[in-house]
Amino acid sequence: MSETIDQPPTAIPARPVGRPRSERADKAIIDATLALLVEECGVTGVTIEAVAARAGVGKTTIYRRWPNKEALIIDALASLKEPEAVLGGVSVRDDLIALTRALGVEKGDRQRVGIYWSVFGNGDKHPELHRLFIRDVVEPRRERMRAVLRRGIETGELRPDIDIDLVMWLLMGAVVNRARAWGIGPVPEDFAERLVDTALRGLAPR
């Protein structure tokens, strides 16, 4: 009589939970939200019903992705941000140039800036929305620059006594103001490089 060898039970593949998200629907919803922000001159005129109608989806499709209008608007505004700069991590100079260059491209886009102002031009009307946008979208990008500056102190490329936040504001402020100076033409291609080199002459160890 031959010996019977027990075979492990055949694994049953798990069933996917819910419907997979549609990138096309996501883009249509985000695009509809941005269009309404412009056309309605801000947050007040943007409703889930209006976004759904504009995007050609049901309200439940939106609510499966975003819990409320505010969360949807935050993601829509975040989509306008330039992709985060790729940092080589080789030198502080190179990484600061990459960060400031990306910021200059973003702030030089009048359409994007106009949408931001349509939401935050009167920030006191939507303080919670403004707070969430700063926390979830803006602050992580500021922290990337702080991290580069901290690394520069650790590697000896920068003086240990520098005020990291002050340096961050100096660099970002210069880029933003130059990008918004539309009357004198676009930001020169070498602006980020010249700005960082000028700053580093005061930040380098003496």
Side-chain angles (χ1 to χ4, degrees), residues 126-200:
H126 308 285
E128 181 61 13
L129 186 66
H130 186 266
R131 185 188 70 81
L132 291 174
F133 181 70
I134 296 299
R135 186 195 70 183
D136 297 342
V137 180
V138 177
E139 188 56 30
R141 291 170 182 258
R142 291 174 181 167
E143 182 55 29
R144 290 191 84 202
M145 184 172 287
R146 292 190 190 102
V148 171
L149 295 170
R150 285 194 292 265
R151 193 186 80 227
I153 293 174
E154 293 169 0
T155 59
E157 295 170 82
L158 303 178
R159 298 201 320 269
D161 62 339
I162 67 170
D163 183 324
I164 288 176
D165 267 13
L166 180 60
V167 174
M168 178 197 70
W169 286 117
L170 284 170
L171 292 172
M172 295 181 71
V175 174
V176 170
N177 279 283
R178 179 58 184 81
R180 290 178 180 173
W182 295 317
I184 61 173
V187 179
E189 289 187 6
D190 65 342
F191 181 78
E193 186 172 331
R194 290 190 290 115
L195 171 64
V196 169
D197 284 343
T198 299
L200 288 179

Side-chain angles (χ1 to χ4, degrees), residues 47-104:
T47 65
I48 296 297
E49 290 79 6
V51 172
R54 183 81 172 236
V57 301
K59 289 192 296 182
T60 55
T61 300
I62 297 177
Y63 281 120
R64 277 199 299 265
R65 292 157 166 76
W66 293 276
N68 50 50
K69 179 178 83 171
E70 288 71 23
L72 172 56
I73 290 174
I74 291 295
D75 276 1
L77 294 174
S79 74
L80 295 174
K81 289 285 184 182
E82 277 294 299
E84 290 194 349
V86 177
L87 305 183
V90 176
S91 74
V92 168
R93 177 183 181 272
D94 290 348
D95 286 353
L96 288 177
I97 289 173
L99 289 170
T100 54
R101 183 173 290 145
L103 181 63

Side-chain angles (χ1 to χ4, degrees), residues 21-37:
R21 287 186 63 153
S22 164
E23 291 184 7
R24 181 179 298 177
D26 285 359
K27 185 177 187 306
I29 293 167
I30 291 294
D31 288 348
T33 304
L34 292 173
L36 287 168
L37 284 171

